[in-house]
Amino acid sequence: MARSEDYAPDGFLNEVIEATPGGDTLVTCLQCGTCGGSCPSGADMDDTPRRLFAMINAGMREEVLRSNTPWYCVTCYYCMTRCPKQIPITDLMYTLKRMAVREKLYDDRDAPDWSSSFVGFVESYGRSFEFGLATRYHLTHSPLRKVGVGPMALEMIAKDRMSLRPDKIKGVDQLRAILDTAKSLEGV
Amino acid sequence: MRYGYYPGCSLTNAARPYEISTRAIAGELGLAFDEVEDWNCCGATEYMSLNKTAAYALIGRNLALAAQSGMRELVAPCSACYLNLRKTDHYMKKYKPLGKVTNQALAAGGLHYEPGSLVVRHLLDVIVKDVGYDAISAKVTRPLTGLRVAPYYGCLIVRPDFNGGSSEDTEYPTHLDHLMEALGAEVVDFPLKTHCCGGHMTQISADTAYELIRRLLQNAAEYQADLLVTLCPMCQLNLDAYQSQVNRHFGTDFNLPILYFTQMIGLAMGLEPKELAIGQEIVSAASALRKIGTVEEIEETAQARRKRDDKSLPMPRIREG
Amino acid sequence: MTEKVGVYICHCGTNIAGPVDVAEVARWAKENLKGVALARDYRFMCSSLGQEIIQEDIKNEGLTRVVVAACSPHLHEKTFRSACSKMGLNPYLTQMASIREQVSWVTEDRAAATEKAKMMVAGAVRRVQLQVELQPTEVPVNPNTLVVGGGIAGIQASLELADAGYHVFMVEREPSIGGHMAQFDKTFPTLDCAACILTPKMSDVGLHENIELLSYAEVESVSGYVGSFDVRVRKKARYIIEDACTGCGICIEKCPKKVVDEVFEVGLGYRKAVYRPFPQAVPKFPVIDKETCIYFERGTCKACEKFCPTEAIDFEQTDSYVDLNVGNIIMATGYDLFDCTKIPQYGYGRLANVFTNLEFERLCNAAGPTEGRIVLRDGVTEPKSIGIIHCVGSRDKNYHPYCSAVCCMSALKFGHLAMEKTGAEVYSFYIDMRPLHKNYEEFYDRLLQEGMHFIRGRVAEVTDAARLPGEEGKIIIQAEDTLIGKQRRIPVDMVVLLGALQPRFDAKETGLKFGVSAGLDGWFTERHPKLDPVATMTDGVFIAGTCQGPKDIPDSVTQGAAAAARVQGMIAKGTVLIEPIVASIEEARCSGCRICNNLCPFNAIEYLEDKEVSYINAALCKGCGTCVAACPAQAISGAHFTNDQIFAEMEGLLYDVIGSNGATAKSPQPVLEPA
């Protein structure tokens, strides 16, 4: 529940809006529930997207950033396409993920870690590296529960659909320069 | 017809069959693809979860490289890459501050991208629009009669619309359906054809992901599809590579091969399965493909006249187009 | 003779006086502008006290011209003109300078605002001294009225005018009047039978000696002006001789060709090629639909002709034209229903048992395709559960951003009827419940008590893809129940989509014909949304009913009556004043080039063959100035907007540069910076 001393009207809301391209439409949300109703993973989220926006409106910063909702977003864009106010919901989810990571506010590490690992390879090689990603990630995240992964990986390798070595672009330095500049130009 | 070509990371690995089959049919369809020199990963749905400007700059580098080498149209076979490229181009134009700061970042690498200079298109759109159903039908030497095909679009080729970038309906697209019909296959119009396959959820929450995959397989199976046809590497991977996991998880026994539409085109044009990397799928397509040519093309039956005691009410007219 | 100009600077409270130094402007005007006899500033010039000041000055100081620097002429030009005219000063010897909308409301810097106000006053003062007396033209008002559209709004308007003793021409596009209301079963909240309350009025219209009903007809063209419109109506060929037809209906019985009735039955039922839209049609004459009649298709059949006892069938009939002259026009053209196939995720057109609101009305209606039984598309099975979906195409930036006003009440009505007839479980999926008017909230309460289920959540998807037990063979409605915060899937047998009300497909063209504009959403534009909802910017043309915007039956009736009252007022007065701000052609200068003829948007210019010059009909002219600007010989002048007057105003505005009017340019010239 939002405590009165934490209550800064519109503070968190404005933060989220400013960090999202086209986010200004969020204030016109009718709370109709189309997003929550359309979401393929909505039943597994702590809060439906709609409820999350109500919480943002109420300034419940920590609860929102701790919610697993953005991490369960499958970026299918059903919500954004169907929203009667044309609110860029999927982009708002991306913003919340970035904010949660920046402030380390997530209860379940799995999704943020997966993204981090992916990002790490892309920044090193300029390409994603599935084999490296899978091994690095799964070996450090409940490996004993990932019974099927090993055999599946072997099958993919056998079918010539997974390289054991990463591809690397020539312009890695160029890419690095671009990404570093980009990161320095903004917070989230 | 020449196009800039952005394969994306998946096409060099997990979706190698997509790349191989695309290259195999390109010449026959009159399409020439010039791969963007030294392209980098588009970031999929991961990079944007941790970065904003850097994510657009990551994608922007590809747009800049393509534009600077003189390309006007950039074709992406992978739906996620297609979305990322088109979104970046669209957002850089629509949100001027974002466009400005992205170009500032690109400048650090000696690059610049003027939003709107490229038209980003999905491979399906190029084949259907620029080549056309009639031209493709004309090239069919091995009609896929006997095969019940469920066309699976997935999400990112149809959504979001970005102001008519794709002419497909976001909820009920039909281009892939018509394309399969043009190849002679029987198309199964299953209702979940644009429902999400779960994307990367297989890594985050297996329960959620497997349920999404199960629904698709279940629905296609209910409509008695022999196989599903896709146009996205992620969808193909999820439905194909994880099918056995799904079976184990739910105690089901789905056996639905998942092929790329380019492989289907190749088959219908008479190419050998091997040339189209058929055989690299986890759930084998062999038995499904044996059905090709087993059924004679059925002629259109005359419209049944209304029976005298038929009380049913007429269906509404669907307005096409 | 020099004029004596009275200059009045209004404070408008602090609206003008805040940003503009009004006292300074008044002082400056008196001291610097030639012709100014006195200059005052006052808090509210439009008040009676303010007007009296002007009137006293006219009397005591002998003012010959008046300049009021205040708000926009749109608001108070009439006020000041009539204040002057009451003192015997011709109203066209006044001029307003809009120093509120054009200065104080848009300029932040006080010095800049004051300077700009001075400029505008200087302009007005120079101009007003060149203005001349003008007299409005008085034209008679033809007591006949044209009502376009025979729905409930048009019917109400017509009956009120006719009962008052005036002649009405009613033009209706369909074979019968009645509009959408004739399609309904019951009306909310009273649950009156729609036909039972409508048909008596329809009958009245049909029998009224003062109403001439032109049904199965459309307006081709409209010309003229308030008090005297010339209207050409095209009566479409019915292929029935009305004088001979008794309405017995044998032709309909014998006709072998059955087609889907897309209009009245909304595609849910059938009609013959010769048909009456519904049994209580007014007029009673059927119509042969050329598109589907076997005779017109192949030259055979003619069963209707064979069996008609009065030889009333005439296949040779052609469209005919009627020319009318009326004083006023009331447009009551109604609405179309949103095409629900535009929202594929709701399954309309694909899933058999998804229906629209109008389709459901036809199911409920005892004269409908199922004789009033609420059944599924198979025509036989009664649904055990029904889902009603609100806001289909409404309140949605992707389709129509507005709310359609009636759907929430329709949902309650449908729920009641469905539960009464079938005992089904009814679920309403809404965003907000909008029972706004008298007894509407009570009706909502009634339905709550009757056990209708309400789920607050805009429906995401309607599908036949079963997922959970109990969904097999059903239609599943998926939505987030926002009051719980969880996704729910409700399996039902039937879905009713409450499609939006939208403007007629040809509303824009129709509007253009009558000189009425349509807004962004396509509804006809009223003169003022709050204070003048039935008048339009075109004098003599009124709008009533849903063509002005979505509304329920009581509001449509009210607007129909309001429009009729306005027309009655015009007729009672007998004449109407036409503004004298019109263009005129100086014959001597006109070479007969006729460039102006086709430029006139109001078709007010004709060419006189005998004199070989063009001539402007002052009654039709609206003073837009297009011809004035276009004439290469400058033979056309616009009254009250002559070249001299306009140049004078410009010179006044540029006083600090031109300085020839005696105003000395004081130090420093402020540069008006953009904001």
Side-chain angles (χ1 to χ4, degrees):
Chain A
M1 197 170 84
R3 298 190 301 255
S4 55
E5 58 259 37
D6 291 338
Y7 190 64
D10 289 353
F12 182 44
L13 174 65
N14 287 334
E15 215 186 311
V16 171
I17 285 175
E18 262 146 55
T20 313
D24 48 321
T25 47
L26 181 55
V27 295
T28 65
C29 172
L30 284 178
Q31 286 287 303
C32 72
T34 305
C35 51
S38 302
C39 185
S41 45
D44 298 326
M45 292 174 170
D46 291 335
D47 310 287
T48 60
R50 172 209 58 88
R51 191 159 89 179
L52 207 67
F53 297 141
M55 289 160 71
I56 293 174
N57 210 26
M60 296 165 70
R61 195 169 202 289
E62 189 167 325
E63 288 92 338
V64 169
L65 294 178
R66 274 202 190 281
S67 172
N68 75 358
T69 301
W71 301 108
Y72 270 69
C73 171
V74 292
T75 62
C76 74
Y77 289 90
Y78 259 137
C79 51
M80 196 157 139
T81 308
R82 292 175 177 172
C83 174
K85 291 307 186 80
Q86 293 172 343
I87 298 170
I89 298 170
T90 316
D91 292 325
L92 286 163
M93 291 296 146
Y94 276 128
T95 297
L96 294 173
K97 280 192 244 192
R98 294 192 289 259
M99 283 176 146
V101 165
R102 191 184 59 195
E103 300 179 31
K104 299 204 176 13
L105 284 173
Y106 37 80
D107 290 331
D108 182 355
R109 296 188 59 93
D110 282 359
D113 283 353
W114 173 262
S115 295
S116 297
S117 305
F118 187 101
V119 166
F121 284 109
V122 170
E123 293 184 341
S124 303
Y125 304 128
R127 298 280 178 88
S128 70
F129 179 36
E130 277 216 35
F131 179 68
L133 176 59
T135 42
R136 177 190 290 177
Y137 175 76
H138 288 300
L139 284 175
T140 51
H141 291 76
S142 330
L144 298 175
R145 286 202 285 137
K146 309 285 171 70
V147 174
V149 175
M152 197 181 94
L154 289 173
E155 266 201 287
M156 292 287 283
I157 294 168
K159 296 280 189 181
D160 196 26
R161 288 169 67 184
M162 182 143 74
S163 311
L164 294 173
R165 287 217 305 260
D167 292 324
K168 217 172 159 180
I169 63 172
K170 288 186 279 217
V172 175
D173 292 332
Q174 180 193 43
L175 181 62
R176 181 88 36 77
I178 291 172
L179 296 176
D180 287 342
T181 307
K183 288 179 194 176
S184 71
L185 286 170
E186 56 137 11
V188 179
Chain B
M1 294 174 279
R2 287 206 93 82
Y3 303 86
Y5 183 69
Y6 178 87
C9 304
S10 300
L11 259 76
T12 56
N13 280 286
R16 207 162 278 155
Y18 198 3
E19 166 79 6
I20 294 169
S21 54
T22 300
R23 295 291 184 180
I25 63 172
E28 190 58 34
L29 295 176
L31 304 169
F33 295 120
D34 297 323
E35 195 164 313
V36 176
E37 181 72 38
D38 206 32
W39 55 269
N40 58 269
C41 175
C42 75
T45 54
E46 312 303 341
Y47 207 89
M48 215 171 273
S49 305
L50 303 186
N51 300 285
K52 187 170 87 179
T53 307
Y56 288 105
L58 179 75
I59 302 163
R61 179 173 175 276
N62 298 301
L63 293 169
L65 290 173
Q68 106 187 345
S69 69
M71 297 171 185
R72 295 294 346 273
E73 287 187 297
L74 185 58
V75 179
C78 165
S79 298
C81 303
Y82 163 67
L83 170 78
N84 278 340
L85 291 164
R86 209 154 67 82
K87 182 173 172 177
T88 300
D89 174 56
H90 183 82
Y91 278 20
M92 281 178 74
K93 188 165 198 179
K94 187 171 178 189
Y95 304 113
K96 300 264 183 288
L98 179 65
K100 191 158 156 229
V101 79
T102 307
N103 266 323
Q104 276 178 274
L106 288 174
L111 294 172
H112 177 88
Y113 178 65
E114 199 53 45
S117 12
L118 286 172
V119 178
V120 178
R121 302 177 64 186
H122 194 287
L123 180 61
L124 176 70
D125 187 56
V126 167
I127 289 178
V128 156
K129 286 275 179 50
D130 299 358
V131 181
Y133 303 124
D134 293 334
I136 293 171
S137 278
K139 296 199 191 292
V140 170
T141 54
R142 184 205 275 134
L144 306 178
T145 48
L147 203 56
R148 287 176 62 84
V149 159
Y152 177 60
Y153 295 75
C155 310
L156 305 180
I157 185 179
V158 284
R159 297 185 298 276
D161 186 24
F162 290 145
N163 287 336
S166 144
S167 60
E168 278 290 19
D169 190 284
T170 58
E171 298 280 350
Y172 195 72
T174 51
H175 283 180
L176 185 56
D177 299 51
H178 292 322
L179 180 61
M180 292 298 114
E181 276 168 358
L183 300 179
E186 195 183 329
V187 171
V188 164
D189 187 18
F190 78 118
L192 301 189
K193 62 184 176 182
T194 61
H195 271 227
C196 189
C197 70
H200 72 180
M201 285 313 281
T202 46
Q203 313 307 316
I204 313 300
S205 162
D207 289 332
T208 310
Y210 292 170
E211 168 58 19
L212 293 177
I213 298 169
R214 183 200 68 80
R215 286 175 197 170
L216 293 168
L217 296 170
Q218 172 84 32
N219 199 234
E222 265 167 14
Y223 277 74
Q224 284 140 8
D226 294 319
L227 58 87
L228 278 102
V229 172
T230 68
L231 35 78
C232 169
M234 190 85 247
C235 300
Q236 201 282 339
L237 183 76
N238 279 355
L239 293 169
D240 177 36
Y242 285 90
Q243 202 169 123
S244 58
Q245 305 270 47
V246 167
N247 279 333
R248 195 172 308 127
H249 192 95
F250 292 100
T252 47
D253 62 353
F254 298 120
N255 185 28
L256 278 167
I258 322 288
L259 291 181
Y260 290 104
F261 75 98
T262 43
Q263 292 173 309
M264 306 306 289
I265 295 176
L267 277 176
M269 293 201 313
L271 292 165
E272 287 310 304
K274 255 214 141 76
E275 296 175 78
L276 302 163
I278 293 178
Q280 285 185 270
E281 66 283 356
I282 307 293
V283 177
S284 171
S287 55
L289 296 183
R290 270 196 283 278
K291 288 192 180 171
I292 295 176
T294 54
V295 175
E296 295 298 316
E297 275 205 46
I298 303 166
E299 280 178 24
E300 298 256 334
T301 51
Q303 271 245 335
R305 291 201 61 178
R306 240 179 103 78
K307 292 201 193 52
R308 192 164 264 276
D309 58 352
D310 184 359
K311 285 196 166 43
S312 68
L313 306 167
M315 281 291 284
R317 275 186 307 132
I318 297 253
R319 279 140 264 240
E320 267 286 332
Chain C
M1 184 195 104
T2 45
E3 305 296 343
K4 288 172 120 181
V5 184
V7 174
Y8 302 89
I9 317 293
C10 185
H11 294 211
C12 194
T14 53
N15 265 311
I16 299 176
V20 174
D21 185 346
V22 286
E24 163 62 17
V25 175
R27 182 204 64 77
W28 177 87
K30 173 79 174 75
E31 255 176 57
N32 293 288
L33 298 180
K34 194 161 81 173
V36 174
L38 57 86
R40 303 187 197 284
D41 61 278
Y42 184 67
R43 287 210 82 202
F44 293 106
M45 284 311 299
C46 57
S47 64
S48 9
L49 288 174
Q51 294 178 52
E52 271 167 37
I53 292 175
I54 302 177
Q55 291 174 325
E56 287 297 306
D57 284 342
I58 294 174
K59 191 169 81 178
N60 299 334
E61 307 292 331
L63 296 180
T64 58
R65 298 282 189 276
V66 168
V67 165
V68 182
C71 51
S72 159
H74 273 296
L75 296 159
H76 281 303
E77 179 171 73
K78 212 166 164 183
T79 312
F80 298 120
R81 277 185 179 169
S82 74
C84 291
S85 129
K86 286 198 185 86
M87 297 306 293
L89 186 66
N90 185 287
Y92 294 92
L93 300 179
T94 63
Q95 179 68 0
M96 279 186 79
S98 173
I99 61 169
R100 189 181 74 173
E101 278 80 347
Q102 298 199 24
V103 182
S104 71
W105 274 0
V106 296
T107 318
E108 286 186 354
D109 178 69
R110 197 173 161 80
T114 307
E115 183 55 33
K116 189 172 176 185
K118 286 181 186 171
M119 286 164 64
M120 294 192 65
V121 169
V125 165
R126 282 212 58 151
R127 188 198 204 284
V128 81
Q129 294 178 70
L130 294 179
Q131 281 166 218
V132 296
E133 288 191 3
L134 295 170
Q135 304 298 341
T137 330
E138 203 167 0
V139 293
V141 173
N142 185 318
N144 298 342
T145 309
L146 172 68
V147 173
V148 185
I152 185 62
I155 288 174
Q156 186 68 26
S158 303
L159 287 174
E160 299 218 358
L161 283 164
D163 285 344
Y166 302 118
H167 193 83
V168 175
F169 297 103
M170 179 190 272
V171 174
E172 164 57 52
R173 164 187 286 179
E174 295 300 323
S176 164
I177 57 175
H180 281 296
M181 190 174 166
Q183 293 172 298
F184 299 166
D185 174 34
K186 304 276 193 300
T187 57
F188 53 76
T190 49
L191 296 172
D192 280 310
C193 154
C196 306
I197 56 177
L198 176 65
T199 48
K201 288 197 189 245
M202 283 169 60
S203 255
D204 279 352
V205 167
L207 296 170
H208 210 296
E209 58 179 2
N210 284 335
I211 300 180
E212 193 172 324
L213 177 54
L214 299 159
S215 62
Y216 205 51
E218 298 200 35
V219 171
E220 283 274 294
S221 64
V222 179
S223 62
Y225 48 95
V226 57
S228 180
F229 290 106
D230 292 308
V231 181
R232 167 157 275 222
V233 176
R234 179 166 66 99
K235 291 186 64 170
K236 298 182 280 194
R238 282 184 126 94
Y239 307 106
I240 308 268
I241 303 167
E242 290 181 19
D243 289 336
C245 174
T246 60
C248 69
I250 286 185
C251 51
I252 301 173
E253 216 186 289
K254 297 297 179 186
C255 176
K257 184 72 181 283
K258 207 169 173 193
V259 294
V260 174
D261 180 351
E262 298 281 358
V263 180
F264 192 78
E265 295 289 10
V266 219
L268 211 55
Y270 298 89
R271 61 163 172 82
K272 298 291 185 68
V274 57
Y275 70 104
R276 259 194 293 259
F278 53 99
Q280 310 94 322
V282 169
K284 60 179 187 263
F285 312 120
V287 149
I288 296 181
D289 175 22
K290 195 171 172 183
E291 310 278 316
T292 50
C293 167
I294 295 176
Y295 171 72
F296 282 109
E297 229 184 299
R298 297 180 261 156
T300 53
C301 183
K302 285 198 176 183
C304 49
E305 194 181 55
K306 285 194 201 90
F307 286 97
C308 176
T310 55
E311 291 176 18
I313 309 281
D314 176 12
F315 288 105
E316 307 306 312
Q317 207 178 70
T318 52
D319 293 352
S320 61
Y321 293 87
V322 177
D323 290 313
L324 309 171
N325 189 274
V326 295
N328 290 280
I329 299 172
I330 300 177
M331 313 221 355
T333 48
Y335 67 89
D336 277 342
L337 193 69
F338 177 73
D339 176 7
C340 294
T341 59
K342 288 210 166 98
I343 307 187
Q345 66 266 34
Y346 286 166
Y348 180 67
R350 222 177 22 94
L351 301 175
N353 293 316
V354 175
F355 296 86
T356 63
N357 29 358
L358 276 180
E359 284 177 352
F360 194 75
E361 292 278 5
R362 296 312 302 154
L363 286 179
C364 292
N365 191 305
T370 58
E371 291 165 346
R373 287 174 305 120
I374 297 174
V375 287
L376 298 178
R377 195 75 63 166
D378 65 4
V380 173
T381 320
E382 267 191 357
K384 294 210 178 48
S385 51
I386 303 176
I388 302 178
I389 300 180
H390 296 226
C391 308
V392 177
S394 304
R395 300 186 75 186
D396 191 335
K397 279 191 183 160
N398 299 309
Y399 306 102
H400 298 299
Y402 54 79
C403 166
S404 289
V406 298
C407 317
C408 282
M409 289 307 294
S410 292
L412 297 175
K413 175 180 75 172
F414 289 159
H416 172 84
L417 292 171
M419 291 191 289
E420 186 179 63
K421 290 193 180 193
T422 66
E425 296 297 324
V426 180
Y427 301 87
S428 138
F429 293 85
Y430 68 98
I431 308 175
D432 295 289
M433 280 304 290
R434 296 190 158 168
L436 293 175
H437 296 151
K438 189 165 181 180
N439 290 322
Y440 286 11
E441 182 68 25
E442 293 86 331
F443 193 59
Y444 179 25
D445 189 65
R446 173 177 177 176
L447 266 301
L448 283 164
Q449 290 187 43
E450 286 181 11
M452 185 162 160
H453 308 283
F454 292 90
I455 296 174
R456 190 196 177 274
R458 183 168 176 273
V459 170
E461 218 172 279
V462 174
T463 179
D464 60 343
R467 195 194 294 170
L468 305 166
E471 294 183 359
E472 215 47 63
K474 300 273 199 186
I475 302 181
I476 302 109
I477 300 177
Q478 182 170 307
E480 182 192 349
D481 183 337
T482 63
L483 298 176
I484 302 175
K486 291 257 172 276
Q487 267 182 5
R488 284 177 74 177
R489 285 167 69 90
I490 314 281
V492 294
D493 294 327
M494 177 195 261
V495 169
V496 180
L497 303 176
L498 298 174
L501 274 56
Q502 63 185 35
R504 291 279 186 194
F505 70 95
D506 58 350
K508 244 202 177 91
E509 291 85 63
T510 308
L512 276 172
K513 230 179 248 182
F514 290 87
V516 172
S517 52
L520 260 176
D521 291 327
W523 306 108
F524 291 142
T525 307
E526 60 287 297
R527 190 172 271 242
H528 192 282
K530 298 291 273 184
L531 299 177
D532 211 350
V534 296
T536 64
M537 293 305 281
T538 303
D539 290 331
V541 180
F542 301 90
I543 49 180
T546 51
C547 65
Q548 184 257 352
K551 56 176 64 67
D552 54 21
I553 291 168
D555 283 350
S556 292
V557 168
T558 306
Q559 284 202 340
R566 293 291 286 273
V567 170
Q568 283 189 54
M570 308 269 289
I571 300 174
K573 189 136 183 283
T575 57
V576 79
L577 292 174
I578 309 265
E579 272 236 67
I581 300 182
V582 293
S584 55
I585 298 178
E586 196 181 325
E587 258 188 46
R589 290 182 103 161
C590 175
S591 66
C593 74
R594 302 186 69 177
I595 285 178
C596 57
N597 287 198
N598 289 331
L599 288 172
C600 179
F602 305 98
N603 293 320
I605 309 182
E606 48 185 302
Y607 181 68
L608 302 174
E609 296 282 357
D610 51 335
K611 291 195 189 165
E612 292 185 333
V613 293
S614 291
Y615 168 76
I616 298 175
N617 180 336
L620 286 170
C621 173
K622 298 263 188 246
C624 73
T626 305
C627 58
V628 176
C631 178
Q634 294 202 22
I636 311 183
S637 57
H640 206 65
F641 284 90
T642 63
N643 288 348
D644 288 341
Q645 287 163 356
I646 294 175
F647 288 136
E649 185 165 7
M650 285 163 67
E651 283 167 19
L653 287 168
L654 296 169
Y655 80 89
D656 56 336
V657 176
I658 293 175
S660 62
N661 65 343
T664 47
K666 297 247 156 93
S667 63
Q669 315 303 313
V671 177
L672 294 168
E673 295 277 351

